[in-house]
mmCIF file with all atom_site columns, all heavy atoms in Angstrom:
data_model
loop_
_atom_site.group_PDB
_atom_site.id
_atom_site.type_symbol
_atom_site.label_atom_id
_atom_site.label_alt_id
_atom_site.label_comp_id
_atom_site.label_asym_id
_atom_site.label_entity_id
_atom_site.label_seq_id
_atom_site.pdbx_PDB_ins_code
_atom_site.Cartn_x
_atom_site.Cartn_y
_atom_site.Cartn_z
_atom_site.occupancy
_atom_site.B_iso_or_equiv
_atom_site.pdbx_formal_charge
_atom_site.auth_seq_id
_atom_site.auth_comp_id
_atom_site.auth_asym_id
_atom_site.auth_atom_id
_atom_site.pdbx_PDB_model_num
ATOM 1   N N   . GLY A 1 314 ? 3.363   9.876   -12.291 1.00 98.00 ? 314 GLY A N   1
ATOM 2   C CA  . GLY A 1 314 ? 1.972   10.175  -12.385 1.00 98.00 ? 314 GLY A CA  1
ATOM 3   C C   . GLY A 1 314 ? 1.182   9.129   -13.187 1.00 98.00 ? 314 GLY A C   1
ATOM 4   O O   . GLY A 1 314 ? 1.770   8.136   -13.644 1.00 98.00 ? 314 GLY A O   1
ATOM 5   N N   . PRO A 1 315 ? -0.085  9.344   -13.361 1.00 98.00 ? 315 PRO A N   1
ATOM 6   C CA  . PRO A 1 315 ? -0.913  8.321   -14.023 1.00 98.00 ? 315 PRO A CA  1
ATOM 7   C C   . PRO A 1 315 ? -0.711  8.275   -15.555 1.00 98.00 ? 315 PRO A C   1
ATOM 8   O O   . PRO A 1 315 ? -0.515  9.315   -16.161 1.00 98.00 ? 315 PRO A O   1
ATOM 9   C CB  . PRO A 1 315 ? -2.339  8.715   -13.686 1.00 98.00 ? 315 PRO A CB  1
ATOM 10  C CG  . PRO A 1 315 ? -2.254  10.182  -13.423 1.00 98.00 ? 315 PRO A CG  1
ATOM 11  C CD  . PRO A 1 315 ? -0.921  10.440  -12.849 1.00 98.00 ? 315 PRO A CD  1
ATOM 12  N N   . ARG A 1 316 ? -0.767  7.088   -16.127 1.00 98.00 ? 316 ARG A N   1
ATOM 13  C CA  . ARG A 1 316 ? -0.654  6.887   -17.554 1.00 98.00 ? 316 ARG A CA  1
ATOM 14  C C   . ARG A 1 316 ? -1.707  5.879   -18.005 1.00 98.00 ? 316 ARG A C   1
ATOM 15  O O   . ARG A 1 316 ? -1.744  4.732   -17.518 1.00 98.00 ? 316 ARG A O   1
ATOM 16  C CB  . ARG A 1 316 ? 0.752   6.324   -17.885 1.00 98.00 ? 316 ARG A CB  1
ATOM 17  C CG  . ARG A 1 316 ? 0.939   5.899   -19.347 1.00 98.00 ? 316 ARG A CG  1
ATOM 18  C CD  . ARG A 1 316 ? 2.402   5.510   -19.587 1.00 98.00 ? 316 ARG A CD  1
ATOM 19  N NE  . ARG A 1 316 ? 2.857   4.433   -18.738 1.00 98.00 ? 316 ARG A NE  1
ATOM 20  C CZ  . ARG A 1 316 ? 2.814   3.120   -19.100 1.00 98.00 ? 316 ARG A CZ  1
ATOM 21  N NH1 . ARG A 1 316 ? 2.285   2.774   -20.256 1.00 98.00 ? 316 ARG A NH1 1
ATOM 22  N NH2 . ARG A 1 316 ? 3.275   2.196   -18.287 1.00 98.00 ? 316 ARG A NH2 1
ATOM 23  N N   . ALA A 1 317 ? -2.613  6.324   -18.893 1.00 98.00 ? 317 ALA A N   1
ATOM 24  C CA  . ALA A 1 317 ? -3.670  5.438   -19.368 1.00 98.00 ? 317 ALA A CA  1
ATOM 25  C C   . ALA A 1 317 ? -3.177  4.557   -20.466 1.00 98.00 ? 317 ALA A C   1
ATOM 26  O O   . ALA A 1 317 ? -2.494  4.975   -21.398 1.00 98.00 ? 317 ALA A O   1
ATOM 27  C CB  . ALA A 1 317 ? -4.828  6.267   -19.880 1.00 98.00 ? 317 ALA A CB  1
ATOM 28  N N   . VAL A 1 318 ? -3.485  3.254   -20.335 1.00 98.00 ? 318 VAL A N   1
ATOM 29  C CA  . VAL A 1 318 ? -3.157  2.246   -21.378 1.00 98.00 ? 318 VAL A CA  1
ATOM 30  C C   . VAL A 1 318 ? -4.486  1.654   -21.869 1.00 98.00 ? 318 VAL A C   1
ATOM 31  O O   . VAL A 1 318 ? -5.099  0.822   -21.192 1.00 98.00 ? 318 VAL A O   1
ATOM 32  C CB  . VAL A 1 318 ? -2.247  1.137   -20.829 1.00 98.00 ? 318 VAL A CB  1
ATOM 33  C CG1 . VAL A 1 318 ? -1.852  0.177   -21.968 1.00 98.00 ? 318 VAL A CG1 1
ATOM 34  C CG2 . VAL A 1 318 ? -1.033  1.715   -20.155 1.00 98.00 ? 318 VAL A CG2 1
ATOM 35  N N   . PRO A 1 319 ? -4.988  2.124   -22.994 1.00 98.00 ? 319 PRO A N   1
ATOM 36  C CA  . PRO A 1 319 ? -6.318  1.671   -23.466 1.00 98.00 ? 319 PRO A CA  1
ATOM 37  C C   . PRO A 1 319 ? -6.231  0.266   -24.106 1.00 98.00 ? 319 PRO A C   1
ATOM 38  O O   . PRO A 1 319 ? -5.139  -0.185  -24.515 1.00 98.00 ? 319 PRO A O   1
ATOM 39  C CB  . PRO A 1 319 ? -6.699  2.696   -24.522 1.00 98.00 ? 319 PRO A CB  1
ATOM 40  C CG  . PRO A 1 319 ? -5.385  3.199   -25.025 1.00 98.00 ? 319 PRO A CG  1
ATOM 41  C CD  . PRO A 1 319 ? -4.432  3.197   -23.877 1.00 98.00 ? 319 PRO A CD  1
ATOM 42  N N   . VAL A 1 320 ? -7.358  -0.429  -24.129 1.00 97.00 ? 320 VAL A N   1
ATOM 43  C CA  . VAL A 1 320 ? -7.483  -1.695  -24.778 1.00 97.00 ? 320 VAL A CA  1
ATOM 44  C C   . VAL A 1 320 ? -8.526  -1.547  -25.875 1.00 97.00 ? 320 VAL A C   1
ATOM 45  O O   . VAL A 1 320 ? -9.600  -1.065  -25.606 1.00 97.00 ? 320 VAL A O   1
ATOM 46  C CB  . VAL A 1 320 ? -7.954  -2.791  -23.776 1.00 97.00 ? 320 VAL A CB  1
ATOM 47  C CG1 . VAL A 1 320 ? -7.991  -4.144  -24.500 1.00 97.00 ? 320 VAL A CG1 1
ATOM 48  C CG2 . VAL A 1 320 ? -7.042  -2.873  -22.598 1.00 97.00 ? 320 VAL A CG2 1
ATOM 49  N N   . PRO A 1 321 ? -8.187  -1.931  -27.128 1.00 97.00 ? 321 PRO A N   1
ATOM 50  C CA  . PRO A 1 321 ? -9.201  -1.772  -28.196 1.00 97.00 ? 321 PRO A CA  1
ATOM 51  C C   . PRO A 1 321 ? -10.474 -2.556  -27.880 1.00 97.00 ? 321 PRO A C   1
ATOM 52  O O   . PRO A 1 321 ? -10.409 -3.651  -27.289 1.00 97.00 ? 321 PRO A O   1
ATOM 53  C CB  . PRO A 1 321 ? -8.496  -2.371  -29.436 1.00 97.00 ? 321 PRO A CB  1
ATOM 54  C CG  . PRO A 1 321 ? -7.023  -2.256  -29.094 1.00 97.00 ? 321 PRO A CG  1
ATOM 55  C CD  . PRO A 1 321 ? -6.910  -2.442  -27.608 1.00 97.00 ? 321 PRO A CD  1
ATOM 56  N N   . LEU A 1 322 ? -11.606 -1.999  -28.243 1.00 97.00 ? 322 LEU A N   1
ATOM 57  C CA  . LEU A 1 322 ? -12.867 -2.689  -28.003 1.00 97.00 ? 322 LEU A CA  1
ATOM 58  C C   . LEU A 1 322 ? -13.027 -3.840  -28.984 1.00 97.00 ? 322 LEU A C   1
ATOM 59  O O   . LEU A 1 322 ? -12.643 -3.757  -30.154 1.00 97.00 ? 322 LEU A O   1
ATOM 60  C CB  . LEU A 1 322 ? -14.049 -1.714  -28.156 1.00 97.00 ? 322 LEU A CB  1
ATOM 61  C CG  . LEU A 1 322 ? -14.169 -0.655  -27.059 1.00 97.00 ? 322 LEU A CG  1
ATOM 62  C CD1 . LEU A 1 322 ? -15.205 0.391   -27.467 1.00 97.00 ? 322 LEU A CD1 1
ATOM 63  C CD2 . LEU A 1 322 ? -14.581 -1.316  -25.763 1.00 97.00 ? 322 LEU A CD2 1
ATOM 64  N N   . PRO A 1 323 ? -13.639 -4.957  -28.565 1.00 95.00 ? 323 PRO A N   1
ATOM 65  C CA  . PRO A 1 323 ? -13.853 -6.062  -29.472 1.00 95.00 ? 323 PRO A CA  1
ATOM 66  C C   . PRO A 1 323 ? -15.062 -5.796  -30.344 1.00 95.00 ? 323 PRO A C   1
ATOM 67  O O   . PRO A 1 323 ? -15.854 -4.849  -30.088 1.00 95.00 ? 323 PRO A O   1
ATOM 68  C CB  . PRO A 1 323 ? -14.169 -7.221  -28.497 1.00 95.00 ? 323 PRO A CB  1
ATOM 69  C CG  . PRO A 1 323 ? -14.833 -6.539  -27.333 1.00 95.00 ? 323 PRO A CG  1
ATOM 70  C CD  . PRO A 1 323 ? -14.107 -5.242  -27.192 1.00 95.00 ? 323 PRO A CD  1
ATOM 71  N N   . PRO A 1 324 ? -15.238 -6.517  -31.465 1.00 94.00 ? 324 PRO A N   1
ATOM 72  C CA  . PRO A 1 324 ? -16.403 -6.355  -32.317 1.00 94.00 ? 324 PRO A CA  1
ATOM 73  C C   . PRO A 1 324 ? -17.692 -6.681  -31.573 1.00 94.00 ? 324 PRO A C   1
ATOM 74  O O   . PRO A 1 324 ? -18.778 -6.150  -31.874 1.00 94.00 ? 324 PRO A O   1
ATOM 75  C CB  . PRO A 1 324 ? -16.145 -7.287  -33.484 1.00 94.00 ? 324 PRO A CB  1
ATOM 76  C CG  . PRO A 1 324 ? -15.173 -8.288  -32.974 1.00 94.00 ? 324 PRO A CG  1
ATOM 77  C CD  . PRO A 1 324 ? -14.343 -7.557  -31.983 1.00 94.00 ? 324 PRO A CD  1
ATOM 78  N N   . VAL A 1 325 ? -17.630 -7.599  -30.651 1.00 95.00 ? 325 VAL A N   1
ATOM 79  C CA  . VAL A 1 325 ? -18.767 -7.997  -29.830 1.00 95.00 ? 325 VAL A CA  1
ATOM 80  C C   . VAL A 1 325 ? -18.239 -8.360  -28.453 1.00 95.00 ? 325 VAL A C   1
ATOM 81  O O   . VAL A 1 325 ? -17.127 -8.926  -28.328 1.00 95.00 ? 325 VAL A O   1
ATOM 82  C CB  . VAL A 1 325 ? -19.534 -9.172  -30.477 1.00 95.00 ? 325 VAL A CB  1
ATOM 83  C CG1 . VAL A 1 325 ? -18.655 -10.434 -30.636 1.00 95.00 ? 325 VAL A CG1 1
ATOM 84  C CG2 . VAL A 1 325 ? -20.798 -9.548  -29.658 1.00 95.00 ? 325 VAL A CG2 1
ATOM 85  N N   . GLN A 1 326 ? -18.976 -8.046  -27.389 1.00 96.00 ? 326 GLN A N   1
ATOM 86  C CA  . GLN A 1 326 ? -18.526 -8.405  -26.074 1.00 96.00 ? 326 GLN A CA  1
ATOM 87  C C   . GLN A 1 326 ? -18.330 -9.907  -25.931 1.00 96.00 ? 326 GLN A C   1
ATOM 88  O O   . GLN A 1 326 ? -19.069 -10.712 -26.520 1.00 96.00 ? 326 GLN A O   1
ATOM 89  C CB  . GLN A 1 326 ? -19.558 -7.965  -25.007 1.00 96.00 ? 326 GLN A CB  1
ATOM 90  C CG  . GLN A 1 326 ? -19.777 -6.437  -24.944 1.00 96.00 ? 326 GLN A CG  1
ATOM 91  C CD  . GLN A 1 326 ? -18.645 -5.662  -24.301 1.00 96.00 ? 326 GLN A CD  1
ATOM 92  O OE1 . GLN A 1 326 ? -17.476 -6.100  -24.334 1.00 96.00 ? 326 GLN A OE1 1
ATOM 93  N NE2 . GLN A 1 326 ? -18.920 -4.482  -23.731 1.00 96.00 ? 326 GLN A NE2 1
ATOM 94  N N   . ARG A 1 327 ? -17.282 -10.303 -25.230 1.00 96.00 ? 327 ARG A N   1
ATOM 95  C CA  . ARG A 1 327 ? -16.945 -11.718 -24.940 1.00 96.00 ? 327 ARG A CA  1
ATOM 96  C C   . ARG A 1 327 ? -16.378 -12.457 -26.142 1.00 96.00 ? 327 ARG A C   1
ATOM 97  O O   . ARG A 1 327 ? -16.292 -13.677 -26.157 1.00 96.00 ? 327 ARG A O   1
ATOM 98  C CB  . ARG A 1 327 ? -18.157 -12.465 -24.351 1.00 96.00 ? 327 ARG A CB  1
ATOM 99  C CG  . ARG A 1 327 ? -18.750 -11.697 -23.170 1.00 96.00 ? 327 ARG A CG  1
ATOM 100 C CD  . ARG A 1 327 ? -19.762 -12.472 -22.392 1.00 96.00 ? 327 ARG A CD  1
ATOM 101 N NE  . ARG A 1 327 ? -20.250 -11.665 -21.291 1.00 96.00 ? 327 ARG A NE  1
ATOM 102 C CZ  . ARG A 1 327 ? -21.140 -12.049 -20.365 1.00 96.00 ? 327 ARG A CZ  1
ATOM 103 N NH1 . ARG A 1 327 ? -21.634 -13.284 -20.407 1.00 96.00 ? 327 ARG A NH1 1
ATOM 104 N NH2 . ARG A 1 327 ? -21.507 -11.242 -19.396 1.00 96.00 ? 327 ARG A NH2 1
ATOM 105 N N   . ALA A 1 328 ? -15.944 -11.700 -27.170 1.00 96.00 ? 328 ALA A N   1
ATOM 106 C CA  . ALA A 1 328 ? -15.289 -12.341 -28.318 1.00 96.00 ? 328 ALA A CA  1
ATOM 107 C C   . ALA A 1 328 ? -14.077 -13.106 -27.865 1.00 96.00 ? 328 ALA A C   1
ATOM 108 O O   . ALA A 1 328 ? -13.735 -14.144 -28.429 1.00 96.00 ? 328 ALA A O   1
ATOM 109 C CB  . ALA A 1 328 ? -14.938 -11.273 -29.358 1.00 96.00 ? 328 ALA A CB  1
ATOM 110 N N   . ASN A 1 329 ? -13.337 -12.589 -26.862 1.00 96.00 ? 329 ASN A N   1
ATOM 111 C CA  . ASN A 1 329 ? -12.137 -13.293 -26.410 1.00 96.00 ? 329 ASN A CA  1
ATOM 112 C C   . ASN A 1 329 ? -12.470 -14.584 -25.754 1.00 96.00 ? 329 ASN A C   1
ATOM 113 O O   . ASN A 1 329 ? -11.644 -15.557 -25.766 1.00 96.00 ? 329 ASN A O   1
ATOM 114 C CB  . ASN A 1 329 ? -11.303 -12.396 -25.456 1.00 96.00 ? 329 ASN A CB  1
ATOM 115 C CG  . ASN A 1 329 ? -12.091 -11.967 -24.205 1.00 96.00 ? 329 ASN A CG  1
ATOM 116 O OD1 . ASN A 1 329 ? -13.317 -11.985 -24.193 1.00 96.00 ? 329 ASN A OD1 1
ATOM 117 N ND2 . ASN A 1 329 ? -11.358 -11.569 -23.184 1.00 96.00 ? 329 ASN A ND2 1
ATOM 118 N N   . VAL A 1 330 ? -13.657 -14.739 -25.164 1.00 97.00 ? 330 VAL A N   1
ATOM 119 C CA  . VAL A 1 330 ? -14.047 -16.024 -24.585 1.00 97.00 ? 330 VAL A CA  1
ATOM 120 C C   . VAL A 1 330 ? -14.273 -17.042 -25.683 1.00 97.00 ? 330 VAL A C   1
ATOM 121 O O   . VAL A 1 330 ? -13.787 -18.197 -25.563 1.00 97.00 ? 330 VAL A O   1
ATOM 122 C CB  . VAL A 1 330 ? -15.337 -15.842 -23.763 1.00 97.00 ? 330 VAL A CB  1
ATOM 123 C CG1 . VAL A 1 330 ? -15.790 -17.184 -23.190 1.00 97.00 ? 330 VAL A CG1 1
ATOM 124 C CG2 . VAL A 1 330 ? -15.084 -14.885 -22.610 1.00 97.00 ? 330 VAL A CG2 1
ATOM 125 N N   . ALA A 1 331 ? -14.954 -16.629 -26.758 1.00 97.00 ? 331 ALA A N   1
ATOM 126 C CA  . ALA A 1 331 ? -15.160 -17.536 -27.877 1.00 97.00 ? 331 ALA A CA  1
ATOM 127 C C   . ALA A 1 331 ? -13.800 -17.942 -28.457 1.00 97.00 ? 331 ALA A C   1
ATOM 128 O O   . ALA A 1 331 ? -13.550 -19.103 -28.803 1.00 97.00 ? 331 ALA A O   1
ATOM 129 C CB  . ALA A 1 331 ? -16.037 -16.868 -28.931 1.00 97.00 ? 331 ALA A CB  1
ATOM 130 N N   . ASP A 1 332 ? -12.892 -16.939 -28.607 1.00 97.00 ? 332 ASP A N   1
ATOM 131 C CA  . ASP A 1 332 ? -11.554 -17.255 -29.152 1.00 97.00 ? 332 ASP A CA  1
ATOM 132 C C   . ASP A 1 332 ? -10.807 -18.298 -28.278 1.00 97.00 ? 332 ASP A C   1
ATOM 133 O O   . ASP A 1 332 ? -10.207 -19.249 -28.807 1.00 97.00 ? 332 ASP A O   1
ATOM 134 C CB  . ASP A 1 332 ? -10.709 -15.982 -29.184 1.00 97.00 ? 332 ASP A CB  1
ATOM 135 C CG  . ASP A 1 332 ? -11.077 -15.041 -30.329 1.00 97.00 ? 332 ASP A CG  1
ATOM 136 O OD1 . ASP A 1 332 ? -11.635 -15.520 -31.296 1.00 97.00 ? 332 ASP A OD1 1
ATOM 137 O OD2 . ASP A 1 332 ? -10.716 -13.829 -30.221 1.00 97.00 ? 332 ASP A OD2 1
ATOM 138 N N   . ALA A 1 333 ? -10.880 -18.103 -26.993 1.00 97.00 ? 333 ALA A N   1
ATOM 139 C CA  . ALA A 1 333 ? -10.174 -18.983 -26.078 1.00 97.00 ? 333 ALA A CA  1
ATOM 140 C C   . ALA A 1 333 ? -10.721 -20.403 -26.161 1.00 97.00 ? 333 ALA A C   1
ATOM 141 O O   . ALA A 1 333 ? -9.957  -21.395 -26.122 1.00 97.00 ? 333 ALA A O   1
ATOM 142 C CB  . ALA A 1 333 ? -10.252 -18.440 -24.644 1.00 97.00 ? 333 ALA A CB  1
ATOM 143 N N   . PHE A 1 334 ? -12.028 -20.531 -26.262 1.00 98.00 ? 334 PHE A N   1
ATOM 144 C CA  . PHE A 1 334 ? -12.629 -21.863 -26.325 1.00 98.00 ? 334 PHE A CA  1
ATOM 145 C C   . PHE A 1 334 ? -12.269 -22.574 -27.613 1.00 98.00 ? 334 PHE A C   1
ATOM 146 O O   . PHE A 1 334 ? -11.843 -23.739 -27.617 1.00 98.00 ? 334 PHE A O   1
ATOM 147 C CB  . PHE A 1 334 ? -14.146 -21.769 -26.174 1.00 98.00 ? 334 PHE A CB  1
ATOM 148 C CG  . PHE A 1 334 ? -14.860 -23.089 -26.063 1.00 98.00 ? 334 PHE A CG  1
ATOM 149 C CD1 . PHE A 1 334 ? -14.448 -23.989 -25.104 1.00 98.00 ? 334 PHE A CD1 1
ATOM 150 C CD2 . PHE A 1 334 ? -15.902 -23.419 -26.902 1.00 98.00 ? 334 PHE A CD2 1
ATOM 151 C CE1 . PHE A 1 334 ? -15.108 -25.239 -24.975 1.00 98.00 ? 334 PHE A CE1 1
ATOM 152 C CE2 . PHE A 1 334 ? -16.545 -24.600 -26.815 1.00 98.00 ? 334 PHE A CE2 1
ATOM 153 C CZ  . PHE A 1 334 ? -16.167 -25.547 -25.844 1.00 98.00 ? 334 PHE A CZ  1
#
Side-chain angles (χ1 to χ4, degrees):
R316 172 174 60 92
V318 184
V320 183
L322 289 170
V325 60
Q326 298 286 28
R327 308 190 180 183
N329 59 338
V330 176
D332 283 340
F334 187 54

